[in-house]
Amino acid sequence: MKTSLIHNKKVGALLAVLFYSMLGLFLYNAASSINYNWKWDSIPKYFAYEKEIGLNSSCDGVLKVQNDTIKIICEDKSIKSFKKDGYELKYKDGDFIYEDDLFASKKELKAGPLLLGMWVTIKISFISMFIAFIIGLIIAIIRLSGIPALDYIGSVYVTVIRGTPMLVQLFIFYFIVATIFNMPRFWAGVMSLSIFYGAYIAEILRGAIQSIDKGQHEAAKSLGFSAWQRMQYIILPQALKKALPSLVGELIALIKDSSLVSIISITDLTKVGREIVSNTFSPFETWLTVALLYLLLTSILSFIGHKLEKKMKTQGGI
């Protein structure tokens, strides 16, 4: 039985590989039929590139090299000193150079636009998720507080945010709220994502808290715990374990939706992709690369979430 199951899994994996290989071949042939010129060699330089850094003379003078120091003895007898630090000289020791002459240079490996855009996407996503979690936790608690006014405030927030598109909220926040408070576009994007996902996290946490057996509340109360202590030490730890898979799912969705901030000119991964396409006229290679980078981020997050979930289960969690 076990051997048969393993065999079925291998056949299934083989069929899946065959299916996606055929799909890839179909897309390649479709692109070829429209005379598309694939230019994969243009993509690597957008990950990293070598930048030449030069040293220019600030005066007319004589070039002198002493150990690890490059000196220019100017005509006015002043001395300009530079550390050699990997620079290659363009002139020989004792040569006369003029003001603004490039007398030394070196090449340094720099992160390209794709890596920089990916870093912006990561920053926006994780800062937004942290703020969204705080917002969601506060809304979940006030909705469960038993105070009607607070419950109505939380309910209206959740209803309005979940009932309107993320893109519309982004425009409203950027063109109205951010303009009024003179907020940088980066933080406008962060707060838009935070407010939007805060509503979804609030419902996830509210459901997780309500799923905790009432006996837990009563036992903690009988031991003299205050309402805040019951929530902090007894209820929330258990609720977070139950909510973890859903929270990871929301963070994955947030990473993907962070691409919308490119609309307000934040140079994230998606905006970098648009700029590369406009420079190289290579939409297929560029967008496939951008998609793979998003997939890499979400896959890493899924893996970490899965590991955390397994760890909590082994510790008597979920």
Side-chain angles (χ1 to χ4, degrees):
M1 181 69 179
K2 188 175 181 181
T3 306
S4 177
L5 184 63
I6 293 171
H7 177 72
N8 289 338
K9 284 184 176 179
K10 286 182 177 179
V11 171
L14 184 62
L15 289 173
V17 170
L18 183 62
F19 170 77
Y20 285 111
S21 298
M22 290 176 65
L23 180 61
L25 184 62
F26 169 77
L27 292 173
Y28 179 81
N29 289 332
S32 300
S33 68
I34 60 174
N35 296 320
Y36 185 78
N37 182 25
W38 293 88
K39 292 181 285 187
W40 284 107
D41 58 329
S42 66
I43 298 299
K45 66 181 180 182
Y46 290 102
F47 281 97
Y49 65 96
E50 283 190 332
K51 182 179 180 181
E52 187 172 13
I53 300 173
L55 294 177
N56 295 81
S57 176
S58 59
C59 64
D60 296 344
V62 178
L63 182 70
K64 291 289 183 182
V65 180
Q66 295 178 349
N67 299 323
D68 291 331
T69 304
I70 305 170
K71 293 183 178 180
I72 299 174
I73 303 173
C74 301
E75 289 187 326
D76 61 1
K77 305 303 180 182
S78 64
I79 299 175
K80 311 292 183 183
S81 297
F82 306 87
K83 285 191 175 180
K84 199 168 182 182
D85 195 24
Y87 283 98
E88 292 184 7
L89 292 173
K90 304 289 185 180
Y91 294 87
K92 296 177 182 177
D93 185 30
D95 282 353
F96 187 87
I97 59 175
Y98 295 94
E99 186 176 354
D100 293 328
D101 276 355
L102 178 69
F103 63 87
S105 68
K106 67 177 178 178
K107 290 183 178 180
E108 285 188 356
L109 193 65
K110 297 286 185 179
L114 282 171
L115 290 183
L116 295 176
M118 192 174 178
W119 174 238
V120 171
T121 293
I122 292 171
K123 280 199 299 183
I124 286 178
S125 299
F126 283 90
I127 294 172
S128 298
M129 189 60 183
F130 176 76
I131 298 173
F133 179 80
I134 301 299
I135 292 172
L137 182 60
I138 292 171
I139 297 299
I141 290 173
I142 67 173
R143 289 201 67 190
L144 295 169
S145 65
I147 302 172
L150 294 179
D151 186 16
Y152 292 145
I153 290 171
S155 297
V156 170
Y157 163 74
V158 169
T159 302
V160 171
I161 296 301
R162 293 179 69 181
T164 52
M166 170 68 203
L167 185 59
V168 173
Q169 293 178 32
L170 181 63
F171 283 141
I172 291 172
F173 198 93
Y174 179 66
F175 288 109
I176 300 175
V177 180
T179 301
I180 292 171
F181 293 100
N182 196 26
M183 187 181 294
R185 60 169 56 94
F186 177 87
W187 286 104
V190 165
M191 292 310 300
S192 296
L193 288 166
S194 302
I195 291 168
F196 183 80
Y197 277 92
Y200 288 88
I201 291 172
E203 290 301 280
I204 291 170
L205 293 177
R206 186 170 71 93
I209 291 170
Q210 287 180 322
S211 71
I212 304 300
D213 189 83
K214 289 183 179 178
Q216 300 275 350
H217 294 267
E218 293 168 0
K221 192 174 181 180
S222 67
L223 290 171
F225 284 86
S226 65
W228 172 246
Q229 287 175 328
R230 292 199 299 273
M231 185 62 69
Q232 183 180 2
Y233 298 113
I234 308 296
I235 308 304
L236 269 182
Q238 297 181 72
L240 288 175
K241 289 177 182 178
K242 289 178 178 288
L244 180 63
S246 299
L247 291 175
V248 172
E250 288 301 313
L251 180 51
I252 289 171
L254 191 153
I255 289 174
K256 293 185 289 184
D257 280 349
S258 70
S259 61
L260 293 173
V261 302
S262 63
I263 299 294
I264 58 173
S265 297
I266 294 176
T267 310
D268 72 326
L269 196 50
T270 300
K271 187 171 185 295
V272 167
R274 293 211 314 265
E275 291 172 351
I276 293 173
V277 170
S278 66
N279 289 332
T280 63
F281 301 102
S282 306
F284 287 12
E285 303 93 316
T286 302
W287 291 122
L288 285 171
T289 302
V290 169
L292 286 173
L293 290 175
Y294 275 111
L295 180 61
L296 176 64
L297 290 178
T298 55
S299 297
I300 291 172
L301 191 60
S302 296
F303 176 77
I304 293 171
H306 180 67
K307 288 293 183 182
L308 284 174
E309 191 177 345
K310 283 182 68 175
K311 186 176 180 181
M312 286 182 173
K313 281 182 178 179
T314 56
Q315 292 175 349
I318 305 171

